[in-house]
Amino acid sequence: QCRFIFPDNLLGISWVDSSWIPILNNGSVLDYFSERSNPFYDRTCNNEVVKMQRMTLDHLNQMVGVEYILLHAQEPILFIIRKQQRQSPTQVIPLADYYIIAGVIYQAPDLGSVINSRVLTAVHGIQSAFEEAMSYCRYHPSKGYWWHFKDQEEREKTKPKAKKKEEPSSIFQRQRVDALLLDLRQKFPPRFVQQKPGEKPIPVDQIKKEPEPAPEAVRPEEKETVKNAQSASAKGPPEKRMRLQ
């Protein structure tokens, strides 16, 4: 069973054969690694020659070429296999490392791939942060640049607004406002009147005017009394006569 993620890149490939998992140990792990369906295994290696000639793995030290060795084992969960180029019995060049975890084989990344991955991750994070910061930037020709954050709007909505103290108006302002209202009332007389608060406004034409009280009848005697009082008030005070002694 082989699962391919990126066919062109062995770092994205994992391979496993579930039938081998119960019997994996130091002696069988290289046979497990040399399965034909394993994409990490090179069939032109010296291990394949030794296997075909039915020789022991000790003969690998006497050969030249590519070979696979068991570098580290922690039964039954972890095995590390190294691919190397042998040039002499004492000189080898490491080519790649493979680790087997719970029967699944992966290729260990090289230093260049690790650095490249870390750099791409850092650049992606910086780019995302820069784009998010630019989304909060605002500009206006009269104000210039400023920052406008979303949480600032929420804080302003939840923050109780302080009530401004109302300053008392001056006498001049009150008189001026009354004069303006009176002028507007004369130019635009009201068409509806609300007699009491909460009631429906009524047109001015429909309001019934109260009849003026009829003048009371005045008796003739009272008329004479009123006339005498008026004539007396019209005349001046009586002149004083000089007394003769």
Side-chain angles (χ1 to χ4, degrees):
Q1 182 182 357
C2 181
R3 297 192 297 269
F4 291 93
I5 302 175
F6 300 102
D8 297 335
N9 186 5
L10 294 178
L11 296 177
I13 296 174
S14 64
W15 181 86
V16 61
D17 188 349
S18 56
S19 61
W20 280 81
I21 295 177
I23 59 173
L24 277 181
N25 52 43
N26 295 352
S28 62
V29 66
L30 286 176
D31 294 332
Y32 172 62
F33 190 83
S34 62
E35 282 287 326
R36 292 185 176 275
S37 58
N38 182 11
F40 303 110
Y41 184 67
D42 185 3
R43 312 231 169 264
T44 62
C45 64
N46 294 338
N47 297 64
E48 194 70 14
V49 175
V50 170
K51 185 178 179 180
M52 292 177 62
Q53 295 180 3
R54 296 182 179 180
M55 294 186 296
T56 61
L57 295 177
D58 297 335
H59 291 81
L60 291 175
N61 297 335
Q62 308 300 325
M63 302 175 68
V64 177
V66 178
E67 63 182 21
Y68 294 91
I69 64 169
L70 179 60
L71 184 65
H72 177 75
Q74 185 177 348
E75 295 183 7
I77 190 69
L78 175 63
F79 301 93
I80 298 177
I81 295 177
R82 171 167 290 180
K83 180 181 180 181
Q84 58 189 10
Q85 177 73 34
R86 181 169 293 277
Q87 297 180 350
S88 67
T90 58
Q91 186 177 4
V92 294
I93 299 175
L95 301 177
D97 288 338
Y98 306 92
Y99 55 95
I100 304 173
I101 300 179
V104 184
I105 302 177
Y106 306 91
Q107 179 176 349
D110 56 286
L111 183 60
S113 300
V114 173
I115 295 176
N116 188 26
S117 175
R118 296 295 186 271
V119 170
L120 288 177
T121 303
V123 170
H124 175 71
I126 294 173
Q127 184 69 21
S128 301
F130 180 76
E131 292 176 357
E132 185 176 358
M134 287 300 297
S135 65
Y136 298 129
C137 182
R138 299 289 185 273
Y139 173 76
H140 192 272
S142 60
K143 297 181 180 180
Y145 289 95
W146 76 93
W147 298 103
H148 185 74
F149 299 99
K150 296 179 181 179
D151 55 350
Q152 183 177 0
E153 294 180 356
E154 296 178 357
R155 287 198 302 267
E156 290 178 356
K157 291 180 180 178
T158 56
K159 184 178 180 181
K161 296 182 179 179
K163 295 182 179 180
K164 295 182 179 180
K165 294 182 179 180
E166 297 181 358
E167 297 180 358
S169 59
S170 62
I171 299 176
F172 172 77
Q173 291 175 341
R174 291 195 292 271
Q175 292 177 352
R176 184 60 179 167
V177 170
D178 293 341
L180 292 174
L181 293 175
L182 182 60
D183 188 18
L184 291 174
R185 180 182 176 85
Q186 293 175 356
K187 290 182 179 179
F188 308 100
R191 298 181 181 180
F192 296 89
V193 176
Q194 187 178 17
Q195 295 180 350
K196 294 181 180 180
E199 293 184 353
K200 185 178 180 180
I202 304 173
V204 178
D205 301 337
Q206 297 181 6
I207 298 176
K208 295 181 180 180
K209 296 183 179 180
E210 296 180 359
E212 296 180 358
E216 297 180 357
V218 183
R219 297 178 182 178
E221 298 176 357
E222 294 178 356
K223 288 182 179 180
E224 293 179 0
T225 307
V226 172
K227 287 181 180 179
N228 295 334
Q230 291 178 353
S231 61
S233 61
K235 294 181 180 180
E239 296 180 358
K240 294 181 179 182
R241 297 180 180 180
M242 297 179 62
R243 289 182 179 182
L244 297 175
Q245 294 180 356

mmCIF file of all heavy atoms in Angstrom, residues 94-117:
data_model
loop_
_atom_site.group_PDB
_atom_site.id
_atom_site.type_symbol
_atom_site.label_atom_id
_atom_site.label_comp_id
_atom_site.label_asym_id
_atom_site.label_seq_id
_atom_site.Cartn_x
_atom_site.Cartn_y
_atom_site.Cartn_z
ATOM 1 N N PRO A 94 27.024 9.751 2.813
ATOM 2 C CA PRO A 94 25.575 9.651 3.054
ATOM 3 C C PRO A 94 24.797 10.364 1.945
ATOM 4 O O PRO A 94 25.141 11.476 1.535
ATOM 5 C CB PRO A 94 25.375 10.333 4.408
ATOM 6 C CG PRO A 94 26.737 10.342 5.042
ATOM 7 C CD PRO A 94 27.716 10.459 3.923
ATOM 8 N N LEU A 95 23.729 9.743 1.475
ATOM 9 C CA LEU A 95 22.878 10.311 0.422
ATOM 10 C C LEU A 95 21.502 10.717 0.944
ATOM 11 O O LEU A 95 20.990 11.769 0.574
ATOM 12 C CB LEU A 95 22.722 9.313 -0.732
ATOM 13 C CG LEU A 95 24.023 8.875 -1.425
ATOM 14 C CD1 LEU A 95 23.728 7.832 -2.492
ATOM 15 C CD2 LEU A 95 24.746 10.075 -2.016
ATOM 16 N N ALA A 96 20.907 9.860 1.773
ATOM 17 C CA ALA A 96 19.574 10.154 2.302
ATOM 18 C C ALA A 96 19.294 9.276 3.504
ATOM 19 O O ALA A 96 19.907 8.206 3.659
ATOM 20 C CB ALA A 96 18.500 9.950 1.236
ATOM 21 N N ASP A 97 18.364 9.744 4.350
ATOM 22 C CA ASP A 97 17.919 8.970 5.515
ATOM 23 C C ASP A 97 16.409 8.758 5.417
ATOM 24 O O ASP A 97 15.669 9.643 4.966
ATOM 25 C CB ASP A 97 18.252 9.696 6.818
ATOM 26 C CG ASP A 97 19.741 9.676 7.118
ATOM 27 O OD1 ASP A 97 20.435 8.789 6.590
ATOM 28 O OD2 ASP A 97 20.210 10.560 7.871
ATOM 29 N N TYR A 98 15.985 7.578 5.870
ATOM 30 C CA TYR A 98 14.560 7.231 5.872
ATOM 31 C C TYR A 98 14.202 6.733 7.273
ATOM 32 O O TYR A 98 14.962 5.979 7.872
ATOM 33 C CB TYR A 98 14.259 6.136 4.840
ATOM 34 C CG TYR A 98 14.729 6.481 3.450
ATOM 35 C CD1 TYR A 98 16.002 6.092 3.024
ATOM 36 C CD2 TYR A 98 13.924 7.178 2.564
ATOM 37 C CE1 TYR A 98 16.449 6.402 1.751
ATOM 38 C CE2 TYR A 98 14.368 7.487 1.285
ATOM 39 C CZ TYR A 98 15.633 7.104 0.886
ATOM 40 O OH TYR A 98 16.082 7.414 -0.370
ATOM 41 N N TYR A 99 13.074 7.177 7.779
ATOM 42 C CA TYR A 99 12.649 6.716 9.098
ATOM 43 C C TYR A 99 11.305 6.004 8.967
ATOM 44 O O TYR A 99 10.428 6.397 8.187
ATOM 45 C CB TYR A 99 12.585 7.864 10.110
ATOM 46 C CG TYR A 99 11.733 9.041 9.700
ATOM 47 C CD1 TYR A 99 10.403 9.136 10.117
ATOM 48 C CD2 TYR A 99 12.272 10.072 8.935
ATOM 49 C CE1 TYR A 99 9.632 10.212 9.759
ATOM 50 C CE2 TYR A 99 11.491 11.152 8.568
ATOM 51 C CZ TYR A 99 10.176 11.210 8.975
ATOM 52 O OH TYR A 99 9.409 12.275 8.606
ATOM 53 N N ILE A 100 11.194 4.931 9.733
ATOM 54 C CA ILE A 100 9.992 4.106 9.736
ATOM 55 C C ILE A 100 9.342 4.245 11.106
ATOM 56 O O ILE A 100 9.932 3.884 12.127
ATOM 57 C CB ILE A 100 10.337 2.625 9.460
ATOM 58 C CG1 ILE A 100 11.110 2.511 8.141
ATOM 59 C CG2 ILE A 100 9.082 1.784 9.420
ATOM 60 C CD1 ILE A 100 11.636 1.104 7.875
ATOM 61 N N ILE A 101 8.133 4.808 11.124
ATOM 62 C CA ILE A 101 7.373 5.006 12.361
ATOM 63 C C ILE A 101 6.087 4.210 12.253
ATOM 64 O O ILE A 101 5.262 4.467 11.377
ATOM 65 C CB ILE A 101 7.071 6.493 12.610
ATOM 66 C CG1 ILE A 101 8.371 7.285 12.727
ATOM 67 C CG2 ILE A 101 6.232 6.681 13.862
ATOM 68 C CD1 ILE A 101 8.170 8.761 12.939
ATOM 69 N N ALA A 102 5.936 3.218 13.140
ATOM 70 C CA ALA A 102 4.750 2.353 13.156
ATOM 71 C C ALA A 102 4.505 1.726 11.796
ATOM 72 O O ALA A 102 3.372 1.582 11.355
ATOM 73 C CB ALA A 102 3.530 3.129 13.622
ATOM 74 N N GLY A 103 5.593 1.373 11.098
ATOM 75 C CA GLY A 103 5.486 0.707 9.810
ATOM 76 C C GLY A 103 5.369 1.629 8.620
ATOM 77 O O GLY A 103 5.442 1.165 7.474
ATOM 78 N N VAL A 104 5.213 2.909 8.818
ATOM 79 C CA VAL A 104 5.090 3.874 7.715
ATOM 80 C C VAL A 104 6.468 4.459 7.430
ATOM 81 O O VAL A 104 7.156 4.933 8.345
ATOM 82 C CB VAL A 104 4.091 4.996 8.061
ATOM 83 C CG1 VAL A 104 3.907 5.934 6.872
ATOM 84 C CG2 VAL A 104 2.749 4.399 8.475
ATOM 85 N N ILE A 105 6.875 4.429 6.155
ATOM 86 C CA ILE A 105 8.198 4.894 5.753
ATOM 87 C C ILE A 105 8.089 6.313 5.203
ATOM 88 O O ILE A 105 7.243 6.599 4.348
ATOM 89 C CB ILE A 105 8.801 3.962 4.681
ATOM 90 C CG1 ILE A 105 8.897 2.535 5.211
ATOM 91 C CG2 ILE A 105 10.182 4.455 4.251
ATOM 92 C CD1 ILE A 105 9.424 1.539 4.188
ATOM 93 N N TYR A 106 8.977 7.176 5.680
ATOM 94 C CA TYR A 106 9.080 8.553 5.211
ATOM 95 C C TYR A 106 10.539 8.847 4.892
ATOM 96 O O TYR A 106 11.442 8.239 5.466
ATOM 97 C CB TYR A 106 8.611 9.557 6.268
ATOM 98 C CG TYR A 106 7.225 9.320 6.805
ATOM 99 C CD1 TYR A 106 7.036 8.525 7.937
ATOM 100 C CD2 TYR A 106 6.117 9.902 6.219
ATOM 101 C CE1 TYR A 106 5.765 8.312 8.450
ATOM 102 C CE2 TYR A 106 4.841 9.692 6.731
ATOM 103 C CZ TYR A 106 4.671 8.897 7.838
ATOM 104 O OH TYR A 106 3.417 8.677 8.338
ATOM 105 N N GLN A 107 10.738 9.804 4.010
ATOM 106 C CA GLN A 107 12.100 10.263 3.746
ATOM 107 C C GLN A 107 12.371 11.496 4.599
ATOM 108 O O GLN A 107 11.582 12.441 4.615
ATOM 109 C CB GLN A 107 12.295 10.603 2.264
ATOM 110 C CG GLN A 107 13.709 11.100 1.954
ATOM 111 C CD GLN A 107 13.924 11.341 0.475
ATOM 112 O OE1 GLN A 107 13.104 10.951 -0.343
ATOM 113 N NE2 GLN A 107 15.035 11.973 0.133
ATOM 114 N N ALA A 108 13.509 11.492 5.291
ATOM 115 C CA ALA A 108 13.869 12.646 6.112
ATOM 116 C C ALA A 108 14.284 13.803 5.211
ATOM 117 O O ALA A 108 15.040 13.606 4.252
ATOM 118 C CB ALA A 108 15.014 12.278 7.061
ATOM 119 N N PRO A 109 13.801 14.996 5.471
ATOM 120 C CA PRO A 109 14.160 16.130 4.611
ATOM 121 C C PRO A 109 15.605 16.545 4.810
ATOM 122 O O PRO A 109 16.168 16.417 5.898
ATOM 123 C CB PRO A 109 13.197 17.233 5.066
ATOM 124 C CG PRO A 109 12.867 16.884 6.482
ATOM 125 C CD PRO A 109 12.866 15.387 6.552
ATOM 126 N N ASP A 110 16.193 17.052 3.750
ATOM 127 C CA ASP A 110 17.563 17.572 3.837
ATOM 128 C C ASP A 110 17.543 18.978 4.405
ATOM 129 O O ASP A 110 16.476 19.597 4.573
ATOM 130 C CB ASP A 110 18.212 17.555 2.461
ATOM 131 C CG ASP A 110 17.395 18.327 1.439
ATOM 132 O OD1 ASP A 110 16.330 17.788 1.013
ATOM 133 O OD2 ASP A 110 17.784 19.444 1.083
ATOM 134 N N LEU A 111 18.737 19.511 4.717
ATOM 135 C CA LEU A 111 18.832 20.818 5.361
ATOM 136 C C LEU A 111 18.276 21.929 4.473
ATOM 137 O O LEU A 111 17.604 22.846 4.946
ATOM 138 C CB LEU A 111 20.294 21.107 5.718
ATOM 139 C CG LEU A 111 20.560 22.424 6.460
ATOM 140 C CD1 LEU A 111 19.796 22.454 7.777
ATOM 141 C CD2 LEU A 111 22.055 22.604 6.695
ATOM 142 N N GLY A 112 18.551 21.833 3.152
ATOM 143 C CA GLY A 112 18.038 22.864 2.242
ATOM 144 C C GLY A 112 16.523 22.892 2.211
ATOM 145 O O GLY A 112 15.901 23.967 2.187
ATOM 146 N N SER A 113 15.883 21.721 2.231
ATOM 147 C CA SER A 113 14.421 21.670 2.216
ATOM 148 C C SER A 113 13.832 22.226 3.513
ATOM 149 O O SER A 113 12.802 22.912 3.504
ATOM 150 C CB SER A 113 13.951 20.228 2.018
ATOM 151 O OG SER A 113 14.424 19.700 0.798
ATOM 152 N N VAL A 114 14.499 21.933 4.649
ATOM 153 C CA VAL A 114 14.013 22.450 5.930
ATOM 154 C C VAL A 114 14.088 23.978 5.966
ATOM 155 O O VAL A 114 13.142 24.659 6.357
ATOM 156 C CB VAL A 114 14.823 21.837 7.094
ATOM 157 C CG1 VAL A 114 14.448 22.503 8.417
ATOM 158 C CG2 VAL A 114 14.581 20.338 7.174
ATOM 159 N N ILE A 115 15.237 24.523 5.528
ATOM 160 C CA ILE A 115 15.392 25.985 5.529
ATOM 161 C C ILE A 115 14.393 26.625 4.573
ATOM 162 O O ILE A 115 13.777 27.661 4.889
ATOM 163 C CB ILE A 115 16.839 26.366 5.156
ATOM 164 C CG1 ILE A 115 17.805 25.874 6.242
ATOM 165 C CG2 ILE A 115 16.965 27.865 4.964
ATOM 166 C CD1 ILE A 115 19.254 26.108 5.912
ATOM 167 N N ASN A 116 14.227 26.015 3.395
ATOM 168 C CA ASN A 116 13.286 26.557 2.418
ATOM 169 C C ASN A 116 11.864 26.575 2.969
ATOM 170 O O ASN A 116 11.119 27.556 2.822
ATOM 171 C CB ASN A 116 13.347 25.722 1.145
ATOM 172 C CG ASN A 116 12.531 26.339 0.025
ATOM 173 O OD1 ASN A 116 12.314 27.545 -0.011
ATOM 174 N ND2 ASN A 116 12.082 25.514 -0.906
ATOM 175 N N SER A 117 11.474 25.491 3.656
ATOM 176 C CA SER A 117 10.133 25.425 4.233
ATOM 177 C C SER A 117 9.951 26.473 5.324
ATOM 178 O O SER A 117 8.908 27.150 5.383
ATOM 179 C CB SER A 117 9.880 24.027 4.796
ATOM 180 O OG SER A 117 8.642 23.956 5.450
#
